[in-house]
Amino acid sequence: MAKVLIVGGGFAGVVAAERLAEHLGDEHQVTLVSRSRQFVFYPALVRLAFGKVEQDDVSFDLRRTMLNRRVNFIEAEVARIDPFERNVTIAHGEVEGKLPYDYLVFALGRRLATERITGFYEHAHHLLNVDKAISFGKAVKKFHEGRAVFGQCLGGRLPVPVYESAFALARRLEEKGERDRVRITVVSPTTLESEIGDIAGAVALKKQLDAHQIEFLPDRSIESLTQNSAITKSGEAIDFNLLMLVPPFRGSSAASYLGITDGEGYIHVDSKMRVPGVERIYAIGDCTDFAGPKMGHMAVRQAAVAASNLAAEINGHVPVSDYRHELRFVIDDTGTDSLYLRKDLSTNEPATVGHGRFWSWAKRAQKEYWEFSHT
Ligand SMILES: Cc1cc2nc3c(=O)[nH]c(=O)nc-3n(C[C@H](O)[C@H](O)[C@H](O)COP(=O)(O)OP(=O)(O)OC[C@H]3O[C@@H](n4cnc5c(N)ncnc54)[C@H](O)[C@@H]3O)c2cc1C
């Protein structure tokens, strides 16, 4: 019998747990540990902030879902991993002390390094969890004139909600007849092409921004904030009355001292999603060291690869499944011109770019499908 421990109940951990339970016989034990029993569907948080969905629509109960799939669920905080003794130390939660494993799947996501931006906590909104999305939504409701600034800090690695929230605000103000009272600015630490990962995608997105009279400021790396200004690395002050900023990301601190991470704390993996240099550990999702944005669809595909390889390893077969790094997203402009982009990041081939209302619908349908197939 093998004890498989999966840490992290996000897109990566949930899919890995479900797939492993499918691939492995009843004699094996699959356990998922996460700090909250709620799974959050993050791509819907912009819609939550703008009042298009309710809090109950963006999360579901993991314990019930996992029980239906023969996976033990433990609500607890993971403090550290010991790959030599093969155990995980739990800081607090439903269990305490050390949980032993035969195989570990690390899926703890990324950390928000807000401490790297002076004044972030006091002066910026973000929408990277349910509470923050709700509080940003309250600020949006009170905002009727002035300047709204949206952007990512260097290392933020999540452009989609930046553009979606700028479009959602523009649309809201248009509907209320207040659009001409507000200047909307998107700030990027790089260029649009680097942020989006493709030249044709950048051209399409720029057209969309222009159509909503949203200005775009490239090469502005925001380093500190005051009550009404974002200060860039070059000393420029960008004034705002409303600010939504994606902070820098870093890898999970539970892996930081093991010598398996890059300079930003992301875990090295091979194409089979194994962690080189340590036995019996796989890593998947936002915690890994792949280049480019950190996206849920990548986490899901990595989880499927890891589950297939780990099941093969346990069953005495050679792991044969390889992960291919691909960028795929929809930027929902909440109207008729949503943008779809798909690009194979392992080649230099240009991206496939699509537009239209269909993609907005497809993104919402994907949420319904996820809920239907995982609850
Ligand atoms: C607002 C927003 C919009 C997005 N839009 C898109 C989109 O349109 N398309 C797309 O593909 N992706 C999108 N993403 C990105 C996507 O949500 C992430 O890439 C995805 O959630 C990563 O999955 P993960 O399982 O690796 O990490 P997470 O989803 O972050 O899951 C990690 C889990 O581990 C738990 N955890 C962390 N630390 C500990 C600990 N120490 N102990 C116990 N548990 C712990 C967390 O509570 C969480 O449950 C968006 C994200 C946000 C925030």
Side-chain angles (χ1 to χ4, degrees):
M1 181 200 110
K3 277 190 188 146
V4 181
L5 194 58
I6 300 157
V7 289
F11 282 93
V14 165
V15 171
E18 288 176 356
R19 295 289 173 92
L20 279 162
E22 276 165 32
H23 293 318
L24 293 174
D26 289 352
E27 68 278 22
H28 303 293
Q29 195 186 79
V30 181
T31 302
L32 176 66
V33 180
S34 200
R35 68 161 59 111
S36 162
R37 62 187 285 174
Q38 291 298 311
F39 171 88
V40 176
F41 192 88
Y42 290 110
L45 291 189
V46 175
R47 290 173 52 73
L48 176 68
F50 283 86
K52 304 292 179 194
V53 289
E54 297 297 323
Q55 190 172 344
D56 285 350
D57 300 327
V58 300
S59 60
F60 63 77
D61 186 330
L62 266 183
R63 185 190 304 279
R64 204 187 55 225
T65 310
M66 289 299 125
L67 204 60
N68 294 342
R69 286 167 168 76
R70 223 177 34 81
V71 175
N72 305 315
F73 177 78
I74 298 175
E75 188 171 355
E77 180 76 20
V78 172
R80 49 180 277 131
I81 313 289
D82 186 338
F84 305 105
E85 297 295 324
R86 290 199 192 126
N87 63 44
V88 166
T89 303
I90 301 297
H92 53 85
E94 288 176 341
V95 297
E96 273 179 32
K98 296 187 194 309
L99 276 180
Y101 66 80
D102 298 311
Y103 296 90
L104 179 74
V105 180
F106 193 105
L108 291 179
R110 38 76 189 137
R111 188 174 73 76
L112 300 183
T114 49
E115 75 282 357
R116 302 182 79 87
I117 307 295
T118 310
F120 191 100
Y121 182 77
E122 298 87 340
H123 305 305
H125 286 281
H126 70 76
L127 42 64
L128 304 188
N129 63 43
V130 170
D131 291 345
K132 294 292 179 184
I134 290 173
S135 111
F136 172 57
K138 286 183 183 156
V140 164
K141 275 195 184 147
K142 287 193 228 146
F143 178 71
H144 303 283
E145 60 187 346
R147 187 182 192 188
V149 173
F150 296 84
Q152 300 197 87
C153 298
L154 193 64
R157 301 178 69 172
L158 192 59
V160 172
V162 171
Y163 294 94
E164 286 191 338
S165 38
F167 289 134
L169 180 68
R171 176 92 43 203
R172 179 187 158 86
L173 294 167
E174 281 156 22
E175 284 166 5
K176 291 188 158 299
E178 295 173 343
R179 182 64 187 92
D180 55 354
R181 292 200 236 152
V182 174
R183 176 177 172 194
I184 305 180
T185 304
V186 173
V187 178
S188 165
T190 62
T191 61
L192 202 49
E193 184 185 344
S194 308
E195 192 148 280
I196 293 304
D198 182 75
I199 181 80
V203 169
L205 183 56
K206 184 69 175 62
K207 266 195 201 157
Q208 231 174 323
L209 290 168
D210 291 345
H212 288 279
Q213 284 117 43
I214 297 172
E215 73 177 325
F216 178 76
L217 301 180
D219 302 318
R220 274 32 174 223
S221 179
I222 293 173
E223 296 208 320
S224 63
L225 300 173
T226 64
Q227 197 177 357
N228 292 108
S229 288
I231 315 298
T232 67
K233 191 176 181 187
S234 65
E236 183 184 357
I238 301 167
D239 293 343
F240 62 81
N241 305 95
L242 178 71
L243 174 69
M244 198 295 285
L245 201 55
V246 174
F249 292 173
R250 289 294 181 270
S252 163
S253 42
S256 58
Y257 54 89
L258 296 173
I260 56 171
T261 54
D262 67 11
E264 297 193 341
Y266 297 115
I267 302 176
H268 302 299
V269 283
D270 64 16
S271 65
K272 305 263 180 301
M273 305 311 302
R274 292 175 300 211
V275 181
V278 284
E279 284 183 345
R280 302 188 183 202
I281 301 188
Y282 287 70
I284 50 177
D286 280 7
C287 66
T288 58
D289 70 342
F290 288 100
K294 303 248 166 232
M295 307 291 296
H297 78 90
M298 295 169 179
V300 166
R301 290 176 56 246
Q302 291 167 14
V305 169
S308 155
N309 289 333
L310 177 48
E313 199 179 330
I314 291 171
N315 290 327
H317 304 303
V318 178
V320 291
S321 194
D322 285 299
Y323 171 68
R324 210 180 158 100
H325 197 38
E326 182 186 285
L327 182 60
R328 201 190 301 184
F329 59 74
V330 171
I331 296 180
D332 184 357
D333 92 334
T334 68
T336 54
D337 202 22
S338 291
L339 175 77
Y340 166 77
L341 185 141
R342 180 177 184 174
K343 185 172 174 122
D344 184 340
L345 293 172
S346 59
T347 67
N348 277 331
E349 295 294 308
T352 305
V353 178
H355 312 256
R357 194 190 290 273
F358 169 77
W359 295 108
S360 169
W361 174 83
K363 186 161 186 170
R364 285 170 220 175
Q366 192 194 25
K367 177 186 161 297
E368 306 307 321
Y369 172 73
W370 173 273
E371 211 170 318
F372 171 74
S373 52
H374 297 273
T375 55

